[in-house]
Amino acid sequence: MTHVIDGNAVAESIRDDLTACVDALRDEGTTPKLATVLMSEDAASATYVSMKQRDCEAVGIEAIDVEIDPDAPADELYGTIDDLNADPEVHGILVQMPVPDHVDTRKVLRDVDPAKDVDGFHPANVGRLVAGDPRFKPCTPHGVQRLLADADVDPEGKDVAIVGRSDIVGKPLANLLIQKEADGNATVTICHSRTADLAAKTRAADIVIAAAGVPEMVDGSMLTEGVVVIDVGVNRVDADSEKGYELVGDVEYDSAAEKASAITPVPGGVGPMTRAMLLYNTVKAASERADVAIDLP
Ligand code: GUN
């Protein structure tokens, strides 16, 4: 039997525990506050931001949403980040990526105060993660790690193939899984568009994590029997549906599920966990600023 890993259920349990943390912080006079910044016309980005806003409300985190015209000068975004950095009420800042081409993405990542960088994208926070002393674990990699733990899959000693080398998922996830820590100790291969024989790498893996942003690029023929499959992809593909599209992952689900001992669905797998771990980082940022110790889930 293939175990279908239920990201919605794991995320809900984390949100419940975070609600108690928020209550404890509020009792000490601090209400965690997240600022999201959207400078994009992309419908999917707007949807993600509104879901993050809704999640905050559900656990008692205050949320503000700053929307910047995608045609506005880059300075408008840089100035917004400066203002949010200086605002003592704001504990976390999330600039939804990607930003328009005329904006310097690396400057945006550098400009967010590392103590408010709930994405974990600032170079100082990337460095801390690599050094084994993370301040904020990036949300999607952290969510993947939690899903594996919930499914009783210990990465220790396992061969893991990560398909995709992005700064948001592939690279930080590899760094988390190789740490000499609980939920780490894996042997990780990072595959990408120039990997010579991708199927050989994925077939040799006990755990395959697909995060390339290419619809259904990993199928059952590329997997070994009993593999654990984590699908990070969320791709909109044209479909004869009311919305005109459907969501598919980077994994061809049916053929992969035939081989897998455990697999995440899309939607309902990694996506809800990314959002839950953003709440986690926001609560962590608030507790550190307020210097109030809380038991994070
Ligand atoms: N765009 C896609 N994923 C992410 C994410 O995790 N954080 C931000 N800020 N933008 C994204």
Side-chain angles (χ1 to χ4, degrees):
M1 271 293 284
T2 306
H3 171 53
V4 181
I5 299 171
D6 185 350
N8 282 318
V10 183
E12 188 179 342
S13 144
I14 291 172
R15 278 197 303 271
D16 285 349
D17 290 343
L18 286 173
T19 303
C21 293
V22 172
D23 289 345
L25 282 171
R26 202 179 298 113
D27 288 347
E28 298 289 335
T30 291
T31 301
K33 184 168 176 176
L34 174 72
T36 58
V37 183
L38 177 66
M39 187 177 189
S40 171
E41 255 161 12
D42 178 59
S45 287
T47 303
Y48 293 142
V49 168
S50 69
M51 289 196 292
K52 290 167 186 175
Q53 291 275 329
R54 234 185 313 138
D55 289 341
C56 284
E57 210 174 294
V59 300
I61 294 174
E62 222 180 286
I64 55 168
D65 177 29
V66 182
E67 292 196 10
I68 300 176
D69 187 324
D71 295 325
D75 278 344
E76 203 166 313
L77 176 56
Y78 306 148
T80 296
I81 293 170
D82 290 344
D83 292 346
L84 294 171
N85 282 341
D87 185 341
E89 305 271 297
V90 170
H91 302 101
I93 301 170
L94 177 139
V95 181
Q96 185 66 29
M97 298 290 166
V99 288
D101 288 344
H102 66 283
V103 173
D104 180 348
T105 300
R106 291 196 186 280
K107 176 174 166 55
V108 170
L109 302 183
R110 276 196 313 270
D111 280 3
V112 172
D113 178 347
K116 299 188 179 189
D117 170 38
V118 285
D119 268 319
F121 293 166
H122 189 285
N125 287 330
V126 174
R128 283 186 59 162
L129 178 75
V130 174
D133 175 32
R135 178 181 352 222
F136 299 113
K137 292 185 182 179
C139 304
T140 301
H142 193 188
V144 169
Q145 210 177 23
R146 292 297 185 97
L147 281 182
L148 290 172
D150 186 79
D152 283 329
V153 178
D154 185 349
E156 178 164 328
K158 301 277 190 334
D159 288 315
V160 178
I162 298 176
V163 185
R165 56 177 156 186
S166 70
D167 293 333
I168 293 182
V169 184
K171 286 186 213 167
L173 182 54
N175 274 303
L176 275 182
L177 293 177
I178 61 168
Q179 293 300 329
K180 206 170 183 177
E181 296 276 346
D183 302 326
N185 290 308
T187 302
V188 177
T189 303
I190 304 185
C191 309
H192 47 74
S193 52
R194 307 293 168 90
T195 295
D197 186 352
L198 176 63
K201 307 289 186 214
T202 53
R203 263 186 227 121
D206 306 302
I207 302 171
V208 172
I209 303 171
V214 179
E216 300 183 323
M217 68 171 293
V218 173
D219 66 29
S221 74
M222 301 165 67
L223 301 170
T224 194
E225 199 71 43
V227 65
V228 173
V229 178
I230 305 289
D231 190 351
V232 178
V234 184
N235 307 288
R236 289 186 176 195
V237 296
D238 293 341
D240 200 9
S241 65
E242 196 182 317
K243 288 180 174 166
Y245 67 86
E246 64 176 3
L247 294 183
V248 299
D250 289 359
V251 174
E252 205 284 297
Y253 184 86
D254 290 341
S255 63
E258 279 180 25
K259 292 278 186 72
S261 57
I263 186 167
T264 58
V266 175
V270 174
M273 291 300 291
T274 297
R275 288 158 46 201
M277 301 333 285
L278 171 66
L279 304 177
Y280 177 102
N281 281 347
T282 304
V283 172
K284 183 170 193 283
S287 82
E288 283 175 6
R289 168 96 75 67
D291 203 14
V292 173
I294 48 164
D295 268 338
L296 282 162

